Amino acid sequence: MPEVSTTIKNWESIAYKKLGLNVIEFGKPSISYWDKGAAGAWLFLDGFTVTLDGQVYNAHLTITKKPTMDPSGSSWTYCHVTVERKGKNHVFYEVDDGGGFTTTQTLLDGDGKQKSAKTHYANDQINDATLMNQLEHDVRLIFTHLA
């Protein structure tokens, strides 16, 4: 994916785009960094909800990248969507520069080291097939927009 500075700019404008999303709805997109681990390793893209089977959940997209607070010159590949509900709430992706993606079991931890998603989220089922299917259309459009 592009430099984080481009991702941030595209994220901030995403609510104004008519992407044709099915289950994701944007309020006011916002950005924050995780305050654990190395500074800048995790970037949270917030400000949206996901509607699953009539239930609305807060959600966010976490970009896991090399640790730096400087958004220029820092590209990323790994990310995950978290739906704030118990259990089956994380889907992990590896995203290419054009916005194409595959699901993965990998993330970069809070110190920027490659790690198994299941190890990091030991008590959650990751990449639940039902959740993946419900998110796929919208995630494809979002990653294309971010690229």
Side-chain angles (χ1 to χ4, degrees):
M1 286 299 275
E3 291 183 352
V4 172
S5 58
T6 301
T7 300
I8 289 171
K9 181 182 85 171
N10 290 345
W11 185 256
E12 290 171 337
S13 71
I14 200 165
Y16 306 107
K17 304 294 179 185
K18 301 293 184 205
L19 297 180
L21 303 176
N22 293 334
V23 298
I24 292 176
E25 184 173 322
F26 281 92
K28 183 174 183 341
S30 62
I31 295 156
S32 61
Y33 285 95
W34 196 34
D35 60 0
K36 299 177 180 133
W42 283 26
L43 177 69
F44 294 108
L45 305 179
D46 301 302
F48 66 96
T49 59
V50 175
T51 302
L52 305 171
D53 301 321
Q55 185 76 11
V56 179
Y57 300 95
N58 289 326
H60 62 268
L61 176 65
T62 305
I63 294 172
T64 61
K65 61 184 188 58
K66 67 182 182 182
T68 178
M69 293 293 284
D70 179 5
S72 63
S74 177
S75 62
W76 58 277
T77 302
Y78 297 111
C79 67
H80 58 277
V81 172
T82 300
V83 177
E84 295 177 14
R85 64 179 186 170
K86 186 157 178 71
K88 303 173 183 177
N89 58 339
H90 301 287
V91 180
F92 290 80
Y93 301 100
E94 184 171 355
V95 187
D96 66 32
D97 289 343
F101 65 94
T102 58
T103 54
T104 184
Q105 301 283 327
T106 304
L107 61 81
L108 298 182
D109 70 11
D111 293 318
K113 295 183 172 77
Q114 203 169 44
K115 188 174 189 177
S116 164
K118 187 59 183 167
T119 301
H120 190 79
Y121 292 104
N123 296 324
D124 292 340
Q125 179 181 344
I126 62 165
N127 296 344
D128 172 67
T130 301
L131 182 58
M132 286 170 39
N133 289 336
Q134 290 172 313
L135 293 175
E136 183 173 2
H137 171 266
D138 292 5
V139 167
R140 182 175 314 285
L141 295 172
I142 289 169
F143 288 154
T144 300
H145 174 73
L146 293 178

